[in-house]
Amino acid sequence: MWRVTGARAGLPAAMLLAVVQGAEGDGFCQGSNIQAPCCADGGGLILPIVPMEHTWDRGLRAFLYMAGLLWCFLGVSVLSDTFMAGIEAITNSTYKKKVPRLAEDGTPEKDENGQPIQDEIDEQIWNAAVANLTLMALGSSTPEILLSIIEIVGNGFFSGDLGPGTVVGSASFNLYVITGICMLALEAGEVRKIEGVAVYSLTASHSLVAYVWLAIVVTVISPDVVEWWEALITFLAMPWLVTWVYCADKDLFNRWFGKKVHPEEEPQLKPPLIRTLPVPDSKDGDESHTDEGAGPLRTSSDGSRGSGGQYAVRRNSAPDFASRRPSAAGPQKTTYLTYRRQTCAAGAGALKSVRPVHVVPEKETPENSQAKELMALKAAINESFHISTHCVYHWETATYGFPEIEGQAKITIIRTGKTEGSGKIKFRTEDGTAKQGATYETVESIVNFEPNETSKNVFVPLIHDYEWNSDLDFYVILEAVEAGGQIDKRSCKTTVTVVDTDKAGTFAWSKANNQTYNATDSQAFLLIERRAGFQDTCFSKVQTRDGTALANVHYRPLDTLVLEWKPYEMAKQVSVRLLRGERPATDNDNDWTSRFYVDVTQVSEDGAALIGEDTHTADVRIDHRAAVLSLDGEFEQLTYGQQIRQAMNVNAGGPLSQASVMDCIMHWLSIGWKLLAALIPPPHWAGGWACFCVALMMIGCVTAIIGDLASIFGCLVGLKDSVTAFTIVALGTSLPDTFASVLAIRADESADNAIGNVTGSNSVNVFLGLGFPWLIASIYWSTGATDEWHEKYKNDWDHYDKYKSTGAFVVKGGSLGFNTMIFSILTCFVFVFLYFRRVYVGGEIGGSKWGSRISAIILISVWFIYVLVSALQVYHADNFIEI
């Protein structure tokens, strides 16, 4: 199997001749391939298994092997789904951690005995960036890695062409084709950019260095030989990269070397301030609380409290508790593994079993727009802290709120980047619903910054009319006035809300009737606002009531939560503890949602604000599909019997009416693989490790068959192993990643899952897929040469005399070295191309209709260039530069 070499015919001509016309004469391979494994029994690790198969018609054999290859690709996809379920269970594992409970002033709270009160929370064991680079990248790269390992071990520790060719070919397809297809997946005008720039830069640079190092090893340092220390460096590059990624994710380098760190990047050591007003008959141990919005405060990008009449008017913005307390996280961000599993399941006609739970998108509202502007401003400020060539000016936050009686709006300009010199920036006001001369006075001025000065306050006069009216907005805009200072379109405009304070105000829920959470979430976060005035002290009462979700089954009720609103407070946050209750009984099998309601009412008539007629009730919905899909949940964990029943049913046992014709076809094509996957231990066993290990062994066995099929098929149609590897095998192993990336780029607001995983996977392929087997083989041959080694290389290797006494692990660098160098050059071009798109389009993926199409054509053309040049080099090496 592993030593097959194809005929020296051209690629298209050979396939056409072999497959369409069949073999000449008696069906045997001709010429130099007369003794190849595709023409005689034996030769592969497993195949062929049918006696006298070599006497069959050559075209028929090629068709059968191609069909078998495609079927095995489907099998690997099905098994990978279960394998990644085990990985997800491992990466989602938690441990109990005790943290001190802090009072409003940040000091630890103590019990009646004077002992510190500690809360127990669930803390993630795996760092998200490390998990994505190691186990998750391993999950998407398993076929390529195992193919390389099995090839070397099955070939008696001699090198082959399938493993390295698949690694390089898969990397080229992932980077060029998947990125190009993602360009076409978005609607015109949509843009996605990499948010984890530091981690992406590390994985991208290491993926490029990995392939350059690969070429240097086999062509420069020790031509055609991989020494044990070279293989060891390649293998150890994996933990090296993991360490760098972890440090970048934690921003440790900036902290260690004393560089500026944006306040939002500081670790959140203090929980949100909590304060409730006890009332008679309150229940002890109520785990729900409010986030006291004690004012005056502003919605600054660092979340700090302000002074002098700046208020919280950021409405509809979700609290960032997930980064502070995992146990209080809101809806979780969908990971790349989820999209990968969804793709694998769709390919097997069982989409329902792994369909991720998505919250229905909300209609665009002014509040949603404010929240998006705030997120964009934060991103702009965070990115600018790493700029060293010039300074960038921003507003401190996207929204400000001031009472009209304040007399002036105090807003802050932030300067980041290169701040060693002096600078200046212009700002001006612009009408919104508020008009100059009626609500505020027009201001247009230039602000001067001294060297190393990073912030400066500016003021806009407000006009008090002594009559009640609705809240009005105007804008303040930054404009560049010098070459050394720049502005970012995401952070150069801020909205100032002028709030009338002539009344006590009206209580209303933000995002009313549109709150959806997964059953696996631990808290439901709700924001209650005080609108149209906030001059008096008043109280409001918050109560929960059952819908289809039941108190103490699906959520912890709020019976007597009373909120005290001091003058100038505009927002408070209420959290309701969610419980992992079972899905309520319903006549509709497709209804996975339960709901309960949270009402805000007045405590007394004296000094109380009004209650909004249409916004006094928040509708909280719980989607229970996530509980069924949860891999570490406390219920609905699948048994062996349930796994087998799901495998035997179309659509994983869901309603047959929801299954398409293609679902049915794919189900029957893959039912054998699905039953095999059902024998793998359920993901919740042993924290996912049992599933991980058994699935890995099964994928390894199927990968060995794929290696035999690919090698023999290549021989039958006249393809050399290296060409078969970077075309057919690489494409087959990368198709699930392609569809997963398309799902990710459409569903996510960033490009991290779609293309960010590609560079990490490409690095893992080299460091583990080649580094590990090469290390084993180089150590094996360092003990000395065998008779088989001498027979193999005595007359077929230029460096035989140099190593005949000691032996060596031979990896001929001709086509491998050339292909990796071509890949490295083209990859540099693609990285530069994506960088320019980020700068001029605003993101690596998306943009205008024709801009995206042209970009897709360029990227996919790069892949065709790589395949064409590499194939020509393999078949016509004498016409290329010798490497």
Side-chain angles (χ1 to χ4, degrees):
M1 157 193 160
W2 304 108
R3 302 171 210 173
V4 177
T5 56
R8 295 183 64 89
L11 175 59
M15 294 187 68
L16 198 61
L17 176 64
V19 179
V20 179
Q21 296 182 351
E24 296 179 0
D26 55 7
F28 285 78
C29 294
Q30 305 298 314
S32 61
N33 283 330
I34 192 66
Q35 298 300 325
C38 65
C39 305
D41 293 338
L45 191 63
I46 298 176
L47 301 178
I49 58 175
V50 179
M52 301 300 294
E53 181 188 310
H54 63 281
T55 62
W56 298 1
D57 180 79
R58 188 177 181 187
L60 174 64
R61 290 186 69 200
F63 172 79
L64 293 176
Y65 272 91
M66 186 62 184
L69 194 60
L70 296 176
W71 190 64
C72 285
F73 285 148
L74 178 61
V76 169
S77 178
V78 173
L79 294 173
S80 294
D81 175 24
T82 306
F83 177 61
M84 288 182 287
I87 291 176
E88 195 168 1
I90 295 170
T91 56
N92 286 342
S93 57
T94 61
Y95 68 96
K96 298 295 184 181
K97 179 181 179 181
K98 291 185 176 181
V99 296
R101 183 183 299 176
L102 303 182
E104 287 189 33
D105 57 1
T107 60
E109 289 189 5
K110 297 183 179 180
D111 58 20
E112 56 186 12
N113 297 322
Q115 299 298 319
I117 300 176
Q118 290 189 325
D119 295 321
E120 193 173 69
I121 66 171
D122 292 328
E123 190 81 8
Q124 292 287 134
I125 295 176
W126 284 80
N127 173 270
V130 172
N132 187 64
L133 182 62
T134 52
L135 291 179
M136 293 186 184
L138 176 64
S140 62
S141 302
T142 299
E144 296 94 324
I145 295 173
L146 289 180
L147 180 61
S148 181
I149 295 174
I150 292 172
E151 179 185 39
I152 286 182
V153 175
N155 203 25
F157 297 101
F158 288 102
S159 64
D161 292 330
L162 272 180
T166 301
V167 167
V168 182
S170 177
S172 65
F173 187 91
N174 290 345
L175 184 58
Y176 309 152
V177 178
I178 291 180
T179 306
I181 293 176
C182 286
M183 295 282 184
L184 302 175
L186 294 179
E187 297 291 337
E190 287 189 88
V191 176
R192 302 286 190 273
K193 68 187 300 183
I194 295 291
E195 289 183 353
V197 177
V199 173
Y200 178 77
S201 299
L202 279 172
T203 55
S205 59
H206 278 76
S207 67
L208 179 59
V209 171
Y211 290 92
V212 173
W213 165 254
L214 193 62
I216 292 175
V217 166
V218 298
T219 60
V220 178
I221 301 177
S222 52
D224 293 348
V225 171
V226 176
E227 303 284 357
W228 69 267
W229 62 269
E230 295 171 332
L232 181 62
I233 290 176
T234 306
F235 179 68
L236 291 181
M238 183 66 196
W240 163 267
L241 176 58
V242 169
T243 302
W244 274 81
V245 166
Y246 176 81
C247 293
D249 184 64
K250 293 295 185 179
D251 202 30
L252 296 180
F253 296 116
N254 283 338
R255 303 179 194 284
W256 289 342
F257 298 109
K259 293 185 179 181
K260 293 179 291 184
V261 179
H262 188 268
E264 191 171 77
E265 298 173 356
E266 293 287 350
Q268 301 289 346
L269 301 179
K270 294 172 62 177
L273 296 179
I274 297 173
R275 176 180 171 184
T276 58
L277 180 65
V279 297
D281 300 326
S282 63
K283 293 184 178 181
D284 294 334
D286 190 349
E287 297 180 54
S288 301
H289 61 266
T290 64
D291 182 13
E292 182 69 23
L297 61 87
R298 64 180 178 274
T299 56
S300 66
S301 57
D302 61 0
S304 59
R305 294 177 181 263
S307 59
Q310 298 175 343
Y311 305 93
V313 295
R314 181 183 61 180
R315 299 169 184 165
N316 239 8
S317 56
D320 187 21
F321 288 151
S323 62
R324 306 183 187 188
R325 292 287 182 266
S327 61
Q332 297 297 308
K333 182 179 179 181
T334 307
T335 64
Y336 178 80
L337 267 185
T338 302
Y339 298 118
R340 185 60 150 73
R341 291 189 62 195
Q342 182 177 356
T343 298
C344 294
L351 181 59
K352 183 178 181 295
S353 65
V354 292
R355 182 179 289 119
V357 179
H358 293 294
V359 177
V360 177
E362 300 174 20
K363 294 181 179 179
E364 187 67 20
T365 65
E367 288 81 3
N368 292 339
S369 179
Q370 278 189 354
K372 292 179 180 179
E373 289 174 0
L374 182 65
M375 293 174 62
L377 179 138
K378 289 182 180 182
I381 295 179
N382 287 339
E383 294 169 11
S384 67
F385 266 80
H386 305 286
I387 294 175
S388 59
T389 57
H390 58 272
C391 65
V392 185
Y393 296 92
H394 321 265
W395 291 115
E396 186 182 29
T397 183
T399 59
Y400 287 89
F402 300 90
E404 61 182 9
I405 60 172
E406 186 69 18
Q408 61 181 2
K410 175 185 173 184
I411 53 182
T412 304
I413 302 174
I414 300 295
R415 185 167 71 139
T416 59
K418 186 178 181 180
T419 60
E420 290 76 9
S422 59
K424 56 184 177 180
I425 189 71
K426 177 183 177 181
F427 78 96
R428 62 178 176 84
T429 56
E430 183 178 285
D431 283 354
T433 55
K435 305 302 179 182
Q436 64 90 16
T439 306
Y440 72 97
E441 296 181 8
T442 301
V443 177
E444 184 173 340
S445 179
I446 293 179
V447 180
N448 294 304
F449 281 77
E450 299 296 328
N452 297 315
E453 188 176 12
T454 57
S455 66
K456 181 157 286 191
N457 296 323
V458 296
F459 301 89
V460 178
L462 304 179
I463 300 173
H464 186 197
D465 57 8
Y466 297 99
E467 293 181 2
W468 183 87
N469 46 52
S470 59
D471 297 349
L472 301 173
D473 299 329
F474 66 92
Y475 310 104
V476 189
I477 300 171
L478 293 176
E479 295 180 350
V481 294
E482 61 180 4
Q486 297 183 11
I487 59 172
D488 191 307
K489 64 180 181 180
R490 295 170 293 174
S491 57
C492 67
K493 181 179 180 180
T494 187
T495 302
V496 178
T497 302
V498 181
V499 184
D500 191 288
T501 60
D502 296 322
K503 290 188 178 182
T506 300
F507 293 130
W509 292 106
S510 177
K511 293 186 181 178
N513 303 318
N514 198 15
Q515 294 282 346
T516 304
Y517 292 86
N518 293 338
T520 52
D521 295 331
S522 59
Q523 300 274 352
F525 296 104
L526 309 172
L527 190 66
I528 184 173
E529 299 174 349
R530 187 183 183 188
R531 303 173 180 172
F534 45 81
Q535 196 166 19
D536 298 329
T537 298
C538 55
F539 300 86
S540 64
K541 185 177 181 180
V542 177
Q543 291 179 300
T544 53
R545 58 184 169 92
D546 290 349
T548 52
L550 304 178
N552 295 316
V553 176
H554 300 103
Y555 68 94
R556 187 65 54 82
L558 300 177
D559 294 331
T560 54
L561 181 62
V562 177
L563 309 180
E564 177 186 3
W565 297 78
K566 295 181 178 180
Y568 306 125
E569 283 190 273
M570 290 184 63
K572 285 181 182 287
Q573 181 178 281
V574 176
S575 66
V576 181
R577 177 80 177 197
L578 300 181
L579 307 176
R580 289 196 173 188
E582 295 187 10
R583 172 190 176 191
T586 176
D587 296 333
N588 186 356
D589 292 337
N590 297 323
D591 185 6
W592 288 84
T593 303
S594 63
R595 61 181 60 188
F596 65 93
Y597 306 97
V598 187
D599 299 320
V600 55
T601 59
Q602 294 170 290
V603 175
S604 66
E605 295 296 332
D606 296 333
L610 301 176
I611 303 299
E613 293 182 4
D614 300 325
T615 56
H616 69 281
T617 297
D619 181 357
V620 182
R621 303 172 186 177
I622 304 174
D623 197 320
H624 293 271
R625 286 177 294 182
V628 178
L629 304 178
S630 177
L631 302 174
D632 59 342
E634 299 173 0
F635 62 92
E636 300 256 7
Q637 295 173 334
L638 296 180
T639 64
Y640 266 120
Q642 290 171 323
Q643 288 186 165
I644 293 174
R645 283 194 295 272
Q646 280 196 359
M648 295 181 67
N649 285 279
V650 181
N651 207 20
L656 187 60
S657 59
Q658 294 185 1
S660 65
V661 174
M662 183 56 66
D663 287 337
C664 296
I665 294 174
M666 296 307 300
H667 169 72
W668 289 111
L669 286 175
S670 62
I671 189 170
W673 296 115
K674 291 165 70 174
L675 288 172
L676 180 63
L679 300 178
I680 298 173
H684 64 273
W685 284 20
W689 288 105
C691 176
F692 176 90
C693 295
V694 176
L696 185 64
M697 288 188 292
M698 288 188 178
I699 294 174
C701 294
V702 180
T703 302
I705 298 175
I706 288 176
D708 279 359
L709 290 168
S711 185
I712 295 175
F713 173 78
C715 176
L716 288 168
V717 299
L719 290 178
K720 291 189 176 182
D721 277 358
S722 56
V723 178
T724 304
F726 63 69
T727 53
I728 299 173
V729 180
L731 189 147
T733 56
S734 298
L735 279 180
D737 292 305
T738 305
F739 296 116
S741 292
V742 170
L743 289 176
I745 201 67
R746 288 175 175 171
D748 291 350
E749 294 184 354
S750 71
D752 293 69
N753 276 332
I755 64 173
N757 181 71
V758 167
T759 53
S761 178
N762 288 353
S763 301
V764 171
N765 282 350
V766 173
F767 300 150
L768 293 185
L770 295 182
F772 180 66
W774 281 6
L775 179 61
I776 296 175
S778 59
I779 293 176
Y780 176 85
W781 289 115
S782 66
T783 59
T786 63
D787 292 340
E788 187 179 7
W789 187 92
H790 287 291
E791 181 181 354
K792 183 177 181 66
Y793 297 117
K794 183 176 182 179
N795 300 317
D796 192 34
W797 187 36
D798 296 338
H799 303 286
Y800 171 77
D801 292 336
K802 180 179 179 181
Y803 294 98
K804 64 180 180 180
S805 59
T806 59
F809 176 50
V810 180
V811 180
K812 294 184 178 180
S815 61
L816 178 60
F818 181 88
N819 293 350
T820 51
M821 288 306 300
I822 292 297
F823 171 76
S824 301
I825 294 171
L826 294 176
T827 298
C828 287
F829 165 77
V830 169
F831 283 155
V832 172
F833 177 72
L834 293 178
Y835 173 77
F836 275 97
R837 281 188 52 85
R838 181 183 182 90
V839 173
Y840 293 104
V841 180
E844 289 82 359
I845 305 296
S848 65
K849 179 179 179 180
W850 283 105
S852 297
R853 288 183 177 181
I854 293 173
S855 297
I857 292 173
I858 291 174
L859 290 169
I860 296 175
S861 297
V862 169
W863 181 72
F864 277 109
I865 291 172
Y866 166 77
V867 170
L868 179 61
V869 174
S870 298
L872 288 174
Q873 197 278 336
V874 171
Y875 287 101
H876 305 283
D878 296 339
N879 297 327
F880 283 78
I881 300 174
E882 183 177 353
I883 297 181

